[in-house]
Amino acid sequence: MTALAPAPQALDLRTRFYAELDPLLDAHPDVDVVLAVIGSGYMGRAIARHPGRIIDVGIREQALIGVAGGLALAGRRPIVHTFASFLVERPYEQVKLDLGHQDVGAVLVSAGASYDVSAGGRTHQSPADVALISALPGWTVHVPGHADEVAELLHREAAGTGRTYIRLSGQRNARPGPVDGRLHLVRDGGETPPSSGSAPLVVAVGPMLDTVLDAVADLPVRVAWTATPHPLDADGLRVLAGPAPVLAVVEPYLEGTSAAAVAAALVDRPSRVLHVGVPGESELRRYGTPREHAAAHGLDAAGVRRRVAPFLV
């Protein structure tokens, strides 16, 4: 079982991203930051100290990705940032072609998660972003749950060459976890009768860990966590799931996003699998707070418990 680090001072994930840009640009002379207005007001120091390396294309999201593709073709390492709906959904063709088809690398860093900007309406909500990025070849998706994870991922990916999506959320866990791409057991579920095999498993993704732990606090289940749902740690899942898996996957975005990867990992085992996330068959048309959206989608602790308890226990 992985021991989580002591709880450091809490810091919003998006705020930490902005705070890391100035030292990151110092450390990586080949990195440029590309914006579409969003975020520019938080980067004053970095803009002043690194003239010409933070490029604001205006509210032109297709150009945002096109410029990033051009920079990558010229040997630069672009970090591209705006809200998830404007970074993934609106310029999806450019993500597919200007980055993917050209086979160049970039680091896309979103804010807003599925419904953080709930008062902004549907234009600012993007529960399908991870599913869309995962449908394209060659991408890695990180969904950190703590500001320290954001810093580690950002510096590591800035030094890389691949295509990476880092999804930032206003929701966060109290403690950071390891961001090594693997699935980590964080709760063993207590004693399990020998005749019953392994206790049921709940896989929490990114900032859903604390919610899941709260939801199953008194249930005889194990909990595992990852900040990198794509590509999924298939070997780790097979080890934790056991020969006859009973598991639930709780993700903070479109329900079933990881279903194909989980099914492929367990293809040779008789399995019962529940996927919990933002429902795809319904859409909220009355705006509220992010917490109200989470409750309406069944992604608060009470909602997660309602879904997983009768399935797993």
Side-chain angles (χ1 to χ4, degrees):
M1 183 170 64
T2 302
L4 296 182
Q9 183 178 2
L11 187 65
D12 179 79
L13 276 64
R14 185 181 175 195
T15 302
R16 183 62 174 270
F17 165 64
Y18 295 142
E20 292 294 329
L21 286 179
D22 185 46
L24 184 142
L25 289 169
D26 280 337
H28 302 281
D30 61 332
V31 166
D32 295 317
V33 178
V34 191
L35 307 174
V37 178
I38 301 300
S40 59
Y42 299 90
M43 301 181 189
R45 176 177 170 80
I47 291 170
R49 293 192 66 248
H50 303 279
R53 294 179 61 192
I54 299 181
I55 303 161
D56 190 341
V57 303
I59 307 175
R60 300 174 180 88
E61 287 81 10
Q62 286 86 355
L64 176 78
I65 302 300
V67 167
L71 288 168
L73 285 169
R76 306 294 293 172
R77 181 65 166 160
I79 295 177
V80 193
H81 173 65
T82 186
F83 290 136
S85 58
F86 306 144
L87 185 63
V88 176
E89 293 182 326
R90 186 169 293 175
Y92 189 63
E93 184 176 10
Q94 283 69 39
V95 173
K96 179 179 73 174
L97 299 177
D98 296 356
L99 296 176
H101 189 62
Q102 296 287 356
D103 198 20
V104 293
V107 183
L108 307 188
V109 182
S110 71
S114 292
Y115 40 74
D116 283 359
V117 197
S118 53
R122 191 63 175 89
T123 56
H124 288 62
Q125 299 169 20
S126 186
D129 57 340
V130 174
L132 288 169
I133 289 290
S134 299
L136 300 175
W139 283 87
T140 296
V141 177
H142 300 300
V143 185
H146 190 278
D148 288 357
E149 298 164 18
V150 174
E152 183 177 345
L153 288 167
L154 188 63
H155 284 271
R156 187 174 77 206
E157 296 298 346
T161 60
R163 292 186 290 279
T164 302
Y165 179 43
I166 301 177
R167 187 186 206 253
L168 305 185
S169 173
Q171 183 179 358
R172 59 182 184 265
N173 301 318
R175 295 175 175 83
V179 286
D180 54 7
R182 302 187 64 184
L183 195 63
H184 293 268
L185 187 68
V186 298
R187 181 180 186 266
D188 63 15
E191 294 295 327
T192 303
S195 61
S196 66
S198 298
L201 179 68
V202 183
V203 175
V205 176
M208 293 304 301
L209 177 59
D210 283 3
T211 298
V212 166
L213 289 172
D214 188 17
V216 304
D218 61 341
L219 300 179
V221 302
R222 295 170 299 143
V223 176
W225 173 84
T226 185
T228 306
H230 180 79
L232 181 68
D233 177 15
D235 291 339
L237 180 62
R238 288 173 62 83
V239 169
L240 292 174
V246 177
L247 72 147
V249 180
V250 183
E251 299 173 302
Y253 34 77
L254 189 65
E255 188 167 289
T257 293
S258 295
V262 171
L266 305 177
V267 65
D268 60 337
R269 303 181 183 187
S271 307
R272 294 178 57 234
V273 183
L274 172 70
H275 291 275
V276 179
V278 179
E281 69 278 0
S282 62
E283 185 174 307
L284 299 181
R285 292 180 170 83
R286 294 183 179 180
Y287 307 150
T289 66
R291 180 173 295 183
E292 289 169 334
H293 277 247
H297 288 307
L299 286 177
D300 59 353
V304 171
R305 184 183 178 86
R306 283 195 303 270
R307 293 289 305 279
V308 305
F311 182 81
L312 297 177
V313 179

